[in-house]
Structures are given as structure tokens and as C-alpha cells.
Amino acid sequence: MLKLLNLLVLLVLAVFFCSEAAKLIGVAATIGLCAPMLFMSDFVRIWQITPHAVSTGVILGGAAIFAAAIRKRAADLVLIVMAAAFGTLFNFVDFLVNPPWMPMLLAFFLVAAGRGAPIALICVATWFSAYGATWVAKWVAAFIVEPSFDIKTDVIDTALFRISGANVKVWHFPLAATAKVFTNAFLSWGMLILLPVLLIFRLPLRRPPLSLAWPALIPIVWFEILSNHSQIHAFFVSRSAAAAIGVVAAAALMAARVTDVRQIFVAARRWSSRDGFRMREIQ
């Protein structure tokens, strides 16, 4: 019964997220944003694990509320306070599985709506600051309640292990975590569906400008800082990698000025016709 409730809540929040994203960045860009999440991660099975379903629900619901606030031209201060509230809340529902996913979406919605990189960076910094401050508050509370709580053993040593601890599953060289996590995303079951679609329709993507796609770098920074943790739990952590691919895809569609689903097929037919004409010329 609980798993079915998880499924229902996730479906409702996913629809809410897609609706608000489409109103802000367009239907086509929303498809580009969501398709990798759906096909390059275990999103369709998250409902079976309650803690992960809750954290994913907070990501989707919170990002949707944030997108709605941007669309309604909320003041910068309001958006910053919202980012702080989301960071604090997220600390109670996610145990280092997918923290970069949510601030990346917040930043992307801001730059995609034309609010600029400065406010986006401030919201990202605020989100992570609130997330980290909540951890510190938890540690202080634990020490007050239980004096035997050892900061060095229970906090510092654990943090160092998650960053660069020794483990048979871990490679200790730059970008090892990023490579492993993204490889896991590309080896997802959904690529059996997504790859043929991309090859058949030849979607008209353009190289997205860095000013629009840079939020996708946020998960990469997280993967590298928590390299050990990211590699050990690559299967779950790869959700953030899939979401980052979605941000790049959405940015590419926006750069190509594709806003409606019908434009995707029209542009794809033009590309196919152009290639066919070139082949006839060669022959």
C-alpha cells in the first residue's frame, strides 16, 4: 500500500513539474529536460524505495514551485529565501544520494527565464549553505542530546571517507567519479528506447551556450568532491547525471529556438530532406 502511495504521489508531482516547466521554458525544452531523467536513470522504479521516492518528490515539487515563482516574477529575495528553505528541507529527506539535482534545476530555470547567472549562483550557494548548515545543526543537537557522540569519528572521519576513502569500487584520479556515474547513466535500460528515437528523428539540437547550460556542471562538481561516495553508489547517484544531461538537452533545444513539439518533427524532416538532397548530388 505504501509503495502504491509513493507511485501516486510521484506521478502527481511529476505532472506538476512538467506542467510548470513547460509554462516557463516551453514544451519541447521540457521534453528534453525530462526524457533523460526518465530513460537514463531508475526513475520508473523509484516508487519502490520510499526514502528515494520522498526525496525525488521534494526535488520535483520544489523545482515546480520555484519555476512557478519565477514565471510570476517573484523578487530575487523571495527566490533566495525559497532556495534556502528547499535546502534545509532536503537535508531531512535525502542522505547524500542526489543533492545536486535540485539546485541544478533551480539554477537552470533562472537562467532559462532570463534572470541571469548572478541570481542563479546566489540561489545555488544559498541552497547548499542551508543544506550544510542543517547538517551542522543536526550534529550539534546530537552532541547535546548524546554527549558520547564523537565529532571526529562520527562526522570528520565519515566525511573524509565519503570524499576520498579507500574502497575496492573507487578509482582515485580526476574525473573518475564523473566518468563512472555518467557511464552508469548511459548504460541504463532506457537507452534501448531513447537512442533509436534520437537516430530516427535526428532531433535538431545545437550546441547550447554556456550561459544557458552551465547548471549542468553543478552535479559534476558534487561528484568530484564526494568522489568516493559517488562511485560506490553510482547507480543511485547517476540520477543527477541523467538530470544534467536533460539540462544540456533542454538548453540545446532552446538554443535552436525549438519551443513546440511539432517544430521538432518539422526540423527533423528538413534535416533528413537536406541530407537526402546531398546524397543525390553525390551520386
Side-chain angles (χ1 to χ4, degrees):
M1 185 63 183
L2 178 59
K3 290 182 179 181
L4 292 177
L5 180 61
N6 293 340
L7 178 59
L8 177 61
V9 171
L10 275 178
L11 284 174
V12 171
L13 291 175
V15 170
F16 179 41
F17 174 82
C18 291
S19 174
E20 291 301 328
K23 293 175 184 176
L24 184 68
I25 63 175
V27 175
T30 299
I31 293 175
L33 179 65
C34 296
M37 297 184 201
L38 182 62
F39 293 110
M40 301 180 71
S41 74
D42 64 332
F43 186 86
V44 297
R45 298 189 296 273
I46 290 178
W47 60 276
Q48 299 178 10
I49 307 174
T50 298
H52 292 195
V54 172
S55 64
T56 303
V58 170
I59 292 171
L60 296 178
I65 293 172
F66 198 79
I70 295 173
R71 186 168 53 83
K72 294 178 180 178
R73 302 184 182 278
D76 289 353
L77 181 59
V78 172
L79 297 175
I80 293 170
V81 172
M82 289 177 65
F86 290 144
T88 296
L89 172 63
F90 198 72
N91 187 277
F92 291 95
V93 299
D94 187 288
F95 300 101
L96 296 181
V97 178
N98 293 119
W101 186 353
M102 190 176 194
M104 175 183 64
L105 290 177
L106 304 188
F108 176 68
F109 284 150
L110 282 167
V111 294
R115 295 293 286 261
I119 182 61
L121 287 170
I122 291 173
C123 284
V124 170
T126 301
W127 192 98
F128 278 111
S129 296
Y131 182 77
T134 306
W135 272 118
V136 174
K138 285 182 177 180
W139 296 330
V140 172
F143 179 77
I144 293 174
V145 174
E146 181 53 61
S148 63
F149 181 77
D150 189 341
I151 295 295
K152 182 181 185 305
T153 302
D154 298 329
V155 177
I156 298 178
D157 289 350
T158 300
L160 291 176
F161 173 76
R162 292 181 182 275
I163 293 171
S164 60
N167 187 282
V168 294
K169 298 181 180 181
V170 174
W171 301 332
H172 292 288
F173 57 83
L175 297 180
T178 298
K180 190 170 184 179
V181 172
F182 274 92
T183 297
N184 193 85
F186 280 104
L187 293 178
S188 175
W189 66 273
M191 289 301 291
L192 295 175
I193 299 173
L194 187 59
L195 188 58
V197 169
L198 293 175
L199 292 176
I200 292 172
F201 291 104
R202 302 187 63 183
L203 301 185
L205 301 179
R206 291 185 181 179
R207 181 182 299 175
L210 183 61
S211 60
L212 191 58
W214 67 261
L217 297 174
I218 294 172
I220 294 176
V221 174
W222 177 270
F223 300 154
E224 291 304 303
I225 293 176
L226 275 76
S227 179
N228 178 286
H229 174 81
S230 298
Q231 293 185 59
I232 293 174
H233 302 287
F235 179 75
F236 299 122
V237 174
S238 63
R239 295 169 193 159
S240 293
I245 294 170
V247 165
V248 173
L253 286 167
M254 293 182 71
R257 300 186 183 280
V258 177
T259 57
D260 186 82
V261 178
R262 288 172 296 181
Q263 290 179 263
I264 296 177
F265 296 103
V266 170
R269 285 199 298 271
R270 288 176 180 172
W271 278 97
S272 298
S273 300
R274 185 183 305 173
D275 287 349
F277 178 74
R278 287 176 178 174
M279 288 299 296
R280 288 194 296 273
E281 281 187 332
I282 293 174
Q283 292 173 353

